[in-house]
Amino acid sequence: MNQTYASSADGTGIDAAKVAALADEPLDWRFKALPPAAWGLTVGQYLATRPALADLGTPLLTLDAGALDHNLRTMAAWCEAAGVALAPHGKTTMAPALWQAQIEAGAHGITLANLPQLRVARAFGVDRIQLANTLLDPAGLGWLAAELDADPGFAFTSWVDSAESVRLMDDALRAAGAGRPVEVLVELGGPAGRTGARTVAEAVEVAEAVRRAPTLRLAGIGGYEGALAHDASEGGLAAVRHYLHQLEALHLALAGRYESEQPVVTAGGSAYFDTVADVLRPFADAKVIIRAGAYLAHDDGFYRGISPLSRGAGTPLRSAMHGWARVVSHPEPDLALLDAGKRDLPYDEGMPEPQNVRTGAGAGAGAKSLAGTGARISRLNDQHAFLHGAGDLAPVGAVLRLGLSHPCTAFDKWALIPVLDDVDGPAPRVVDLVRTYF
């Protein structure tokens, strides 16, 4: 991968050679972002032709190199100043090259959510992984045991939230003949939240069950505050803070029971990591790890509004992802249909935001801003977007740049994502191609 936005090149924590080998992947019809002119070339060969945004078709998702670099460095600096470690959630991008950039910028490791994601990470040699979930699949636990036994340098933690999950893990690991114990974090949840023991007392009981299981090792505690709030209102922030104080109480209750020299205390998605650092950072005896994943791409929607760095906690992030769609029909004066829909763009945290329009020779033609015009997208079908308010600014054939909301449901629609040198430039060039594995 082109290291345009990586801060170093030592490859620590991931197999840099395997990531670099992605440049040798042949390109063909499987990658919907690329034109036929790329077919038969490798990634490296195609990039050597210096393709332009104007050469790419629609629908399209792109990343911006400058914004990625800004976000990478901004978050690394914030974590260092806040005194917390960062294990970004890899499920957001499922892109080993972007994981490498995060690790090289100082990330403690990579967080993942399920077994298939874990296998992708191991295929690329990621050697410090937190599974923010409970792994109960017997075959998966057998595979994990073999990975741990074969690689002494592989550091892995999983979550557990009940004595039953502890029993099932222990049974499967014993059956697999596991040599190394699996480090686990006891998960604390909250009312109507996601997984996790619902009270501190219940979580302490789970911790004791872990201590009795010979194949497991109590390495810390964790949880997810983002399941308990969905905005930065006074009520939402109060709910997050109350939950984090419960996590604090659990840590204090487990003092002297951890089976690790420096236990892990982890929380913090991309919405409330400042509050996490504020409440949990005072633990001198623990490593406090936040797991923000959306920060790297950021967005022009949900995270633009809720990120702590948008609310005064530091230097704001920049949206690094954009959609591109062409007007294919203008059947009514106030309705135009674009050639991008639910199969191409995220929509679960808000509709795409029309930002500018390019007319003429493809997406690389001169752009006109749509700010202040009232242009909006009202809904998406599988393959179409319904555009209103653009009028004559968006004739048939015009290409719109769209601001997007929620990186987690943008990346999963694209196996290969072009990276532009400057999305705001008059003629953006493709400087990289990011491979994803969903």
Side-chain angles (χ1 to χ4, degrees):
M1 176 186 172
N2 184 305
Q3 293 297 320
T4 305
Y5 29 78
S7 61
S8 69
D10 60 9
T12 302
I14 193 168
D15 190 329
K18 288 185 177 179
V19 177
L22 292 173
D24 298 325
E25 183 169 16
L27 300 174
D28 55 29
W29 50 266
R30 294 172 298 155
F31 303 110
K32 66 180 183 178
L34 300 182
W39 299 356
L41 303 177
T42 66
V43 168
Q45 289 169 340
Y46 180 60
L47 292 174
T49 70
R50 301 188 70 245
L53 172 64
D55 299 326
L56 307 180
T58 54
L60 181 65
L61 179 78
T62 63
L63 298 172
D64 179 70
L68 288 173
D69 181 71
H70 168 82
N71 296 345
L72 187 74
R73 297 174 189 275
T74 295
M75 192 65 175
W78 187 92
C79 289
E80 182 176 6
V84 297
L86 172 64
H89 213 317
K91 73 174 176 63
T92 302
T93 66
M94 288 306 296
L98 296 182
W99 297 347
Q100 180 183 21
Q102 291 171 306
I103 291 169
E104 291 178 346
H108 174 76
I110 296 296
T111 299
L112 297 166
N114 60 30
L115 182 61
Q117 294 171 11
L118 177 57
R119 286 173 172 156
V120 172
R122 287 302 290 163
F124 283 88
V126 178
D127 63 12
R128 184 178 287 138
I129 297 170
Q130 178 183 167
L131 187 71
N133 210 336
T134 303
L135 180 57
L136 295 181
D137 176 73
L141 284 165
W143 171 82
L144 173 66
E147 288 285 301
L148 288 168
D149 290 345
D151 183 359
F154 176 28
F156 173 82
T157 57
S158 179
W159 289 10
V160 292
D161 71 354
S162 69
E164 181 65 7
S165 60
V166 170
R167 183 187 68 79
L168 291 170
M169 287 186 73
D170 184 47
D171 287 349
L173 290 167
R174 289 195 201 200
R180 286 176 60 191
V182 174
E183 296 197 342
V184 295
L185 310 180
V186 173
E187 181 188 3
L188 181 69
R194 208 171 58 182
T195 51
R198 289 313 197 234
T199 68
V200 170
E202 291 173 358
V204 170
E205 291 178 3
V206 176
E208 288 302 320
V210 171
R211 285 166 53 86
R212 293 190 297 269
T215 63
L216 303 179
R217 186 165 173 258
L218 182 61
I221 61 174
Y224 178 53
E225 75 292 338
L228 305 174
H230 201 66
D231 57 40
S233 66
E234 184 176 338
L237 293 175
V240 167
R241 189 169 288 275
H242 173 76
Y243 166 75
L244 293 172
H245 282 302
Q246 292 296 106
L247 201 61
E248 177 185 34
L250 175 59
H251 176 60
L252 296 175
L254 293 177
R257 307 190 207 192
Y258 293 117
E259 299 172 291
S260 176
E261 277 188 28
Q262 187 181 38
V264 166
V265 176
T266 178
S270 299
Y272 307 108
F273 53 79
D274 59 332
T275 309
V276 171
D278 183 50
V279 175
L280 301 182
R281 179 178 48 193
F283 295 148
D285 62 332
K287 178 177 283 293
V288 177
I289 300 176
I290 64 171
R291 306 186 307 275
Y295 77 90
L296 185 58
H298 197 50
D299 70 12
D300 283 309
F302 178 70
Y303 287 109
R304 177 178 62 188
I306 202 171
S307 168
L309 302 184
S310 299
R311 297 187 276 110
T315 302
L317 301 170
R318 291 161 46 190
S319 179
M321 64 175 187
H322 298 88
W324 303 84
R326 193 179 309 270
V327 179
V328 293
S329 178
H330 213 316
E332 301 171 17
D334 190 43
L335 174 64
L337 281 301
L338 311 182
D339 64 352
K342 294 179 180 179
R343 303 293 178 87
D344 312 297
L345 306 174
Y347 57 93
D348 57 314
E349 291 289 357
M351 289 293 108
E353 173 186 278
Q355 294 183 334
N356 63 42
V357 60
R358 295 168 182 253
T359 56
K368 294 182 180 179
S369 174
L370 291 173
T373 65
R376 64 183 178 87
I377 290 175
S378 63
R379 61 191 175 102
L380 300 181
N381 287 161
D382 282 356
Q383 309 290 180
H384 292 95
F386 289 68
L387 173 69
H388 303 270
D392 293 340
L393 291 173
V396 171
V399 174
L400 276 73
R401 189 183 89 187
L402 306 171
L404 305 177
S405 181
H406 200 190
C408 297
T409 51
F411 279 73
D412 65 344
K413 297 169 175 57
W414 297 85
L416 201 64
I417 306 174
V419 180
L420 305 179
D421 58 352
D422 181 5
V423 73
D424 293 317
R429 290 275 176 186
V430 178
V431 294
D432 211 343
L433 296 171
V434 169
R435 185 71 156 93
T436 69
Y437 294 89
F438 284 93

